[in-house]
């Protein structure tokens, strides 16, 4: 049955159809195990009253080899119809057609939030002294910025037209080497910013988290990333005036009535459960996450920044192999959950693939459809496994007295520990 949406609520049947893309490379190894674990957790949680009807759809190399298309229209139709799906890692086609299948899926379905929760599992080796302080959820804008794919190659007729317009019509004189320059356009809109920041604030309020941090490079890109900061603050103050307190408001009070009064009002706001909205320059943020990660709970940022930030934070808690992710449109309810790593062709068929990124993304999917009990079982199983020193080769080799398991063995252990 289809998942539908009425108003702000998803309507979840007891036996929803969930489209899935197996994925390329190690995708064919991890996807069946993830489905088996999810099925076991759902069965143990709901005793047959709820089940998932998995429906395979094609994308990537498997699709190209079978039907001659990297991303068939039938696949997009399935995600549109059934609303919630999951995917393994996909190969980026070689050439100048589709730049990225992942980006194409996000843009076609307008999945404007890339949601990346980052946490540490006890037992997983990390480079940090206190990885338990890292508990951050990233809201990365997913449809704008340079990922919009608006660019022209050096020396092409199209690039010459763009250069002529910039130089003759717009008076741009700062392109140092015009004959060998390629040019890209970085769109950042009020609407794109507002819907992302709105989703981040709503998430923080729902989960009773203390802050939302707008991460940007507005000190350099004043009208794009600087606009993101300005529009984010304005959205918070306009739509959530009774539930947020912003750094912008703090500075205004400090200027008008002094620092002591600003601190007093901040303390009152925090004590009453308001979410503090603040901002930080992206490079300072990357440093701060290493020095004082406990100061951040929810991050709202632009597309390129979010790409860097999510991978750094994942590395801080053990690597991208245990980093889940989702692409969501909170307005329509459409969502695709995904393994955040690549296809890893060098370990295909060796039993070394780590299913945890896709598995934890499946946990996010279960939570998204309100099947929290099944998601919690999987998370608790992983916590016990890691604490006991079990892991696939990428994790076990760094654990103290790590016990290396193959992909299949690890997945069976997760089921045993449910």
């Amino acid at each position: 049955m289809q998942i539908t949406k009425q108003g702000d609520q998803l309507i979840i049947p007891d036996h929803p159809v969930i489209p899935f893309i197996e994925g390329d490379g190690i995708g064919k190894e991890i996807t069946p195990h993830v489905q088996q674990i999810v099925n076991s957790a759902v069965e143990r949680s709901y005793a047959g009253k709820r089940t998932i009807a998995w429906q395979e759809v094609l994308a990537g190399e498997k699709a190209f080899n079978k039907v001659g298309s990297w991303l068939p229209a039938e696949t997009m139709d399935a995600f549109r119809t059934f609303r919630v799906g999951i995917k393994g890692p996909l190969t980026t086609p070689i050439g100048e057609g589709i730049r990225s299948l992942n980006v194409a899926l996000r843009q076609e379905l307008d999945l404007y939030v890339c949601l990346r929760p980052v946490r540490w599992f006890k037992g997983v080796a990390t480079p940090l002294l206190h990885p338990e302080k890292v508990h951050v959820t990233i809201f990365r804008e997913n449809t704008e910025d340079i990922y919009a794919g608006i660019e022209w190659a050096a020396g092409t007729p199209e690039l010459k037209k763009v250069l002529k317009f910039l130089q003759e019509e717009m008076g741009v004189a700062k392109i140092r080497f015009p004959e060998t320059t390629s040019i890209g356009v970085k769109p950042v809109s009020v609407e794109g910013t507002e819907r992302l920041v709105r989703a981040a604030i709503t998430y923080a309020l729902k989960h009773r988290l203390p802050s939302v941090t707008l991460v940007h490079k507005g000190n350099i890109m004043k009208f794009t990333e600087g606009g993101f900061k300005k529009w984010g603050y304005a959205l918070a103050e306009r739509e959530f005036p009774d539930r947020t307190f912003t750094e912008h408001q703090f500075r205004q009070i400090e200027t008008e009535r002094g620092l002591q009064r600003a601190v007093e009002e901040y303390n009152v706001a925090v004590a009453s459960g308001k979410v503090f909205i603040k901002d930080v320059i992206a490079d300072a943020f990357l440093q701060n996450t290493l020095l004082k990660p406990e100061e951040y709970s929810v991050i709202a940022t632009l597309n390129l920044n979010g790409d860097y930030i999510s991978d750094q934070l994942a590395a801080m808690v053990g690597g991208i192999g245990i980093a889940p992710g989702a692409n969501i449109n909170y307005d329509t309810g459409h969502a695709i959950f995904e393994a955040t790593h690549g296809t890893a062709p060098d370990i295909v068929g060796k039993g070394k693939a780590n299913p945890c990124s896709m598995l934890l993304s499946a946990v996010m999917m279960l939570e998204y459809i309100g099947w929290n009990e099944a998601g919690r079982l999987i998370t608790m199983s992983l916590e016990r496994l890691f604490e006991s020193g079990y892991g696939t080769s990428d994790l076990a080799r760094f654990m103290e007295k790590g016990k290396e398991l193959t992909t299949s063995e690890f997945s069976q252990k997760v089921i045993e520990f449910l």
Side-chain angles (χ1 to χ4, degrees):
M1 295 180 67
Q2 292 176 225
I3 294 172
T4 57
K5 194 167 187 287
Q6 292 182 5
D8 294 333
Q9 296 296 316
L10 286 176
I11 308 302
I12 312 295
D14 287 336
H15 309 285
V17 174
I18 301 292
F20 73 94
I21 296 170
E22 180 182 71
D24 298 322
I26 59 172
K28 64 177 68 72
E29 298 175 51
I30 63 175
T31 298
H33 289 302
V34 168
Q35 291 173 321
Q36 185 182 12
I37 294 167
V38 170
N39 289 342
S40 296
V42 169
E43 170 61 29
R44 294 187 187 209
S45 298
Y46 309 115
K49 293 180 181 179
R50 291 175 173 174
T51 58
I52 290 175
W54 301 100
Q55 177 179 307
E56 184 174 10
V57 294
L58 299 176
E61 285 183 335
K62 187 173 184 178
F64 186 78
N65 292 335
K66 280 196 170 187
V67 299
S69 171
W70 290 94
L71 186 58
E74 294 81 2
T75 296
M76 297 306 306
D77 290 342
F79 284 126
R80 286 193 187 94
T81 300
F82 297 108
R83 215 171 231 103
V84 175
I86 191 166
K87 58 176 282 296
L90 291 174
T91 299
T92 297
I94 297 172
E96 297 184 1
I98 298 174
R99 293 167 183 267
S100 163
L101 293 171
N102 295 322
V103 172
L105 284 166
R106 295 165 189 169
Q107 292 184 342
E108 280 288 321
L109 294 170
D110 197 25
L111 305 176
Y112 61 85
V113 169
C114 179
L115 185 66
R116 294 282 295 270
V118 181
R119 58 154 291 186
W120 177 63
F121 286 89
K122 188 174 181 180
V124 174
T126 86
L128 299 189
L129 288 174
H130 295 287
E132 73 280 359
K133 293 181 179 181
V134 181
H135 209 296
V136 182
T137 302
I138 304 154
F139 279 72
R140 168 189 172 190
E141 202 290 317
N142 225 2
T143 63
E144 298 190 318
D145 203 350
I146 62 171
Y147 287 76
I150 307 169
E151 61 176 348
W152 299 274
T156 61
E158 295 80 7
L159 188 279
K160 290 177 182 177
K161 290 180 183 179
V162 174
L163 271 175
K164 182 177 180 182
F165 172 74
L166 291 174
Q167 292 171 333
E168 296 181 10
E169 300 293 327
M170 302 301 292
V172 174
K174 295 182 180 180
I175 301 174
R176 191 175 297 273
F177 305 109
E179 295 302 317
T180 57
T181 291
S182 294
I183 291 178
V185 175
K186 177 187 177 77
V188 178
S189 69
V190 175
E191 294 89 345
T193 297
E194 288 186 344
R195 64 183 185 173
L196 178 88
V197 175
R198 182 183 297 115
I201 294 173
T202 300
Y203 181 93
L205 289 167
K206 178 180 178 181
H207 294 274
R208 298 183 180 180
L209 297 170
S211 67
V212 172
T213 305
L214 309 174
V215 181
H216 61 92
K217 279 293 291 182
N219 57 326
I220 302 299
M221 292 168 275
K222 298 186 183 298
F223 302 127
T224 50
E225 305 225 357
F228 178 86
K229 168 190 169 182
K230 179 177 72 174
W231 302 326
Y233 275 134
L235 181 281
E237 293 169 11
R238 184 178 70 250
E239 294 192 9
F240 301 90
D242 300 323
R243 306 189 71 185
T244 64
F245 183 74
T246 72
E247 186 175 357
H248 177 249
Q249 291 170 322
F250 181 95
R251 298 303 175 198
Q252 283 184 319
I253 296 168
E254 181 183 18
T255 299
E256 295 168 4
R257 289 181 279 172
L259 178 60
Q260 183 176 346
R261 181 60 178 171
V263 171
E264 289 172 357
E265 295 210 16
Y266 166 80
N267 289 334
V268 169
V270 170
S272 66
K274 289 185 177 182
V275 175
F276 184 49
I277 313 297
K278 55 186 175 177
D279 79 276
V280 64
I281 302 297
D283 42 343
F285 172 78
L286 292 172
Q287 174 180 257
N288 291 347
T289 55
L290 293 171
L291 299 175
K292 43 187 178 182
E294 67 275 12
E295 291 193 359
Y296 302 105
S297 53
V298 178
I299 305 304
T301 191
L302 299 100
N303 212 333
L304 182 60
N305 294 337
D307 201 350
Y308 300 146
I309 288 167
S310 55
D311 282 5
Q312 176 185 296
L313 286 167
M316 289 165 56
V317 296
I320 203 165
I322 55 170
N327 303 285
I328 302 173
N329 184 317
Y330 285 98
D331 303 320
T332 65
H334 287 91
I336 298 178
F337 299 81
E338 64 180 354
T340 61
H341 53 71
T343 57
D346 56 318
I347 61 168
V348 170
K350 297 181 179 179
K352 294 184 176 183
N354 181 352
C356 289
S357 174
M358 190 173 184
L359 180 57
L360 287 167
S361 297
V363 170
M364 292 176 67
M365 182 186 76
L366 292 169
E367 293 170 346
Y368 185 72
I369 65 175
W371 294 12
N372 297 312
E373 299 84 359
R376 196 174 302 117
L377 273 184
I378 296 171
T379 302
M380 291 171 62
S381 176
L382 288 174
E383 287 173 342
R384 290 194 289 268
L385 269 173
F386 292 140
E387 194 167 356
S388 300
Y390 291 107
T392 47
S393 61
D394 59 318
L395 297 177
R397 59 183 172 151
F398 297 116
M399 292 174 166
E400 187 176 352
K401 298 181 181 179
K403 306 172 183 113
E404 182 177 327
L405 301 175
T406 66
T407 308
S408 178
E409 291 169 342
F410 181 85
S411 301
Q412 287 307 308
K413 277 286 184 187
V414 175
I415 294 173
E416 287 175 25
F417 277 49
L418 284 174

